Amino acid sequence: MAQYIINGGRRLEGKLRVGGAKNAILPILAAVLLTERQVVLHDCPKLLDVEKTILILEAIGCKVKREGRDLIIDPSTVSSWVIPDCYVREIRSSIIFLGAMLSRAERARITYPGGCEIGQRPIDLHLKGLRQLGVLIDESNGYLDCVAPRMEGGIVHLDYPSVGATENIMLAAVKAKGRTVIHNAAKEPEIVDLQNFINAMGGNVRGAGTNTIVVEGVQSGFSEVEYTIIPDRIVAGTYMVAAAITGGDVLIDNVIPEHVQSIIYKLREAGCTVHVQDSCVRVKGKYRLRAIEHIKTLPYPGFPTDMQAQFTSLLSVARGTSIITETIFENRFRHVPELVRMGANIRIDGQTAIIHGVRSLKGTTVVAKDLRGGAALVLAGLRAEGQTIVENAFYIDRGYEQLEAVLSNIGADIVKTND
């Protein structure tokens, strides 16, 4: 099993570049099904979830070729509307293929998706929205069998601004007859990137980034497209915290500063110096930062749930007491017992973590339980005294491309092994 071995206590210093966003490319790969023409995607990260999504495309008949960081996709040969179980059970975002396949084939079959066990992530919002567009859904026998012979636009009001549900309804509505309006839509940058990609192919979507998205149905005219994926704001945020927790000085290139504003704000509140210029963010940390009175995870543009674990590690060695409240997922403090094993003083009360900062952490063997929690343990290992071994590295590899190489290049002592 793969693991990271980290000898902590080194100050990180240097420059790195952030690649394309995992949470943007996955729905865009599903959106490829909307066209019969060639699609070229630039700056595609080599991540486990991306590679498995490519396997889904190939399994239903697409031809996919990777050339470095580019993907060249021919969707004209799609021959199946059944999404293979073996991949769906491993990656949560596979549910996005439901809306895209309905647009293409007017029917789809998919099992319930898997992914990190960070809490309940029911897909009822997806199904409710699709039904409002006229999709008939049979949920028996552990599968979602969907038929949409007469999909028509409609008004969809999401009870919660779910990213996945917003994306699925957008994809299903692209070729529906008439206009679809999605109220209380998610505002994440990845939603905007999906809109821009759909429009580049010939779709007609507007309003992404606001709470109301309008999709005008287009039945034909989709063309070839060449498109560059936006930078990964969570990867950028993780490396910003890496600089902060080690008292380092790191310049992070290929960042859209607007996408990481909440992270910048909290790092400054903790005592970091953060400079922003064009597409670069430079973070200078201190050996011990200040506690942050309160962080509350919220949908974008609030503080991202995907950065909660990393900040838990950071604040575990800050001066004073910090409070973090998790409002998105109910099981997202699974990294905390591992941090406690390293010497952190953290108490969980329901969905709130009370963090009493300690002067130092001690290296030991810890286990990653999910993607972002695993990244948080790596960050803690960078700061800890002695050696830290982070097991279950495959979780981390789902969202971070060559993590050990990137960190080594800016001064970390970290290797990845297959034990």
Side-chain angles (χ1 to χ4, degrees):
M1 183 175 292
Q3 59 187 18
Y4 286 105
I5 301 175
I6 308 157
N7 292 305
R10 291 174 177 255
R11 181 175 185 267
L12 302 188
E13 189 171 9
K15 180 179 179 180
L16 60 88
R17 181 186 182 278
V18 173
K22 168 197 166 184
N23 290 338
I25 190 174
L26 297 182
I28 285 175
L29 285 173
V32 165
L33 297 181
L34 298 174
T35 184
E36 302 273 351
R37 305 294 185 86
Q38 178 176 277
V39 174
V40 179
L41 299 175
H42 298 297
D43 206 4
C44 302
K46 294 181 180 179
L47 302 170
L48 285 178
D49 281 10
V50 174
E51 300 309 309
K52 287 176 181 177
T53 303
I54 291 170
L55 291 175
I56 291 177
L57 288 173
E58 291 177 331
I60 60 177
C62 284
K63 297 175 183 177
V64 185
K65 180 180 180 182
R66 182 183 274 278
E67 293 184 352
R69 300 191 64 78
D70 298 337
L71 290 178
I72 303 164
I73 306 169
D74 177 4
S76 65
T77 52
V78 170
S79 56
S80 175
W81 43 266
V82 178
I83 312 302
D85 294 4
C86 56
Y87 305 122
V88 175
R89 290 195 173 101
E90 294 182 27
I91 45 177
R92 176 73 187 178
S93 62
S94 57
I95 192 66
I96 301 301
F97 276 93
L98 191 54
M101 185 60 79
L102 286 167
S103 268
R104 183 181 181 107
E106 297 183 346
R107 63 187 307 181
R109 189 183 205 218
I110 192 169
T111 190
Y112 287 89
C116 288
E117 297 178 7
I118 57 176
Q120 295 183 13
R121 294 188 282 181
I123 60 171
D124 57 312
L125 294 178
H126 301 239
L127 304 185
K128 182 179 177 182
L130 293 173
R131 285 187 169 111
Q132 287 178 263
L133 301 184
V135 180
L136 306 176
I137 304 173
D138 180 356
E139 299 182 62
S140 59
N141 302 315
Y143 286 90
L144 298 169
D145 281 297
C146 306
V147 182
R150 295 177 57 190
M151 194 151 52
E152 296 186 359
I155 296 176
V156 178
H157 184 95
L158 294 175
D159 296 329
Y160 178 84
S162 160
V163 173
T166 300
E167 292 169 340
N168 234 339
I169 296 163
M170 286 171 65
L171 290 168
V174 168
K175 293 187 177 182
K177 184 179 179 181
R179 172 182 294 177
T180 298
V181 181
I182 308 171
H183 293 294
N184 198 29
K187 303 176 185 177
E188 273 70 5
E190 295 79 17
I191 302 285
V192 179
D193 212 32
L194 178 60
Q195 170 187 273
N196 293 343
F197 176 73
I198 291 170
N199 290 345
M201 283 193 297
N204 187 349
V205 185
R206 64 183 185 273
T210 74
N211 59 11
T212 302
I213 295 174
V214 179
V215 185
E216 303 285 355
V218 178
Q219 281 73 49
S220 61
F222 289 84
S223 61
E224 290 187 7
V225 64
E226 192 167 340
Y227 193 81
T228 300
I229 306 300
I230 59 169
D232 197 310
R233 61 193 172 98
I234 303 302
V235 169
T238 301
Y239 290 133
M240 290 162 69
V241 173
I245 200 171
T246 62
D249 182 356
V250 178
L251 180 68
I252 303 161
D253 190 18
N254 195 36
V255 179
I256 300 175
E258 178 187 352
H259 294 174
V260 293
Q261 278 299 323
S262 62
I263 300 167
I264 292 172
Y265 179 81
K266 288 300 179 184
L267 286 175
R268 286 175 174 162
E269 188 177 339
C272 291
T273 301
V274 184
H275 295 294
V276 177
Q277 185 173 3
D278 299 327
S279 62
C280 294
V281 176
R282 182 179 181 182
V283 178
K284 295 181 182 179
K286 299 176 182 178
Y287 182 72
R288 289 202 76 186
L289 296 167
R290 297 189 296 267
I292 295 176
E293 183 177 350
H294 193 202
I295 292 177
K296 184 177 182 180
T297 63
L298 292 167
Y300 187 87
F303 188 87
T305 181
D306 279 352
M307 286 299 303
Q308 174 262 108
Q310 298 91 313
F311 267 75
T312 303
S313 291
L314 177 66
L315 296 174
S316 72
V317 289
R319 296 181 186 274
T321 299
S322 305
I323 295 175
I324 298 180
T325 302
E326 172 62 55
T327 72
I328 309 298
F329 296 118
E330 75 280 3
N331 196 22
R332 204 150 202 185
F333 286 126
R334 302 176 74 203
H335 55 288
V336 168
E338 305 301 301
L339 289 174
V340 170
R341 296 186 66 244
M342 298 177 72
N345 184 353
I346 306 172
R347 179 170 60 88
I348 302 299
D349 183 5
Q351 292 301 103
T352 298
I354 299 96
I355 307 165
H356 301 286
V358 298
R359 184 169 182 81
S360 61
L361 300 173
K362 305 292 184 182
T364 187
T365 299
V366 291
V367 181
K369 306 290 180 63
D370 56 66
L371 167 55
R372 307 305 176 184
L377 297 177
V378 170
L379 294 175
L382 294 174
R383 172 61 181 262
E385 297 175 358
Q387 187 174 90
T388 299
I389 298 173
V390 182
E391 297 182 340
N392 284 356
F394 69 90
Y395 276 121
I396 303 167
D397 295 342
R398 292 180 58 186
Y400 296 89
E401 190 174 10
Q402 296 184 315
L403 178 67
E404 70 281 9
V406 174
L407 290 173
S408 294
N409 286 340
I410 55 174
D413 184 349
I414 177 172
V415 295
K416 182 181 174 186
T417 66
N418 291 296
D419 188 14

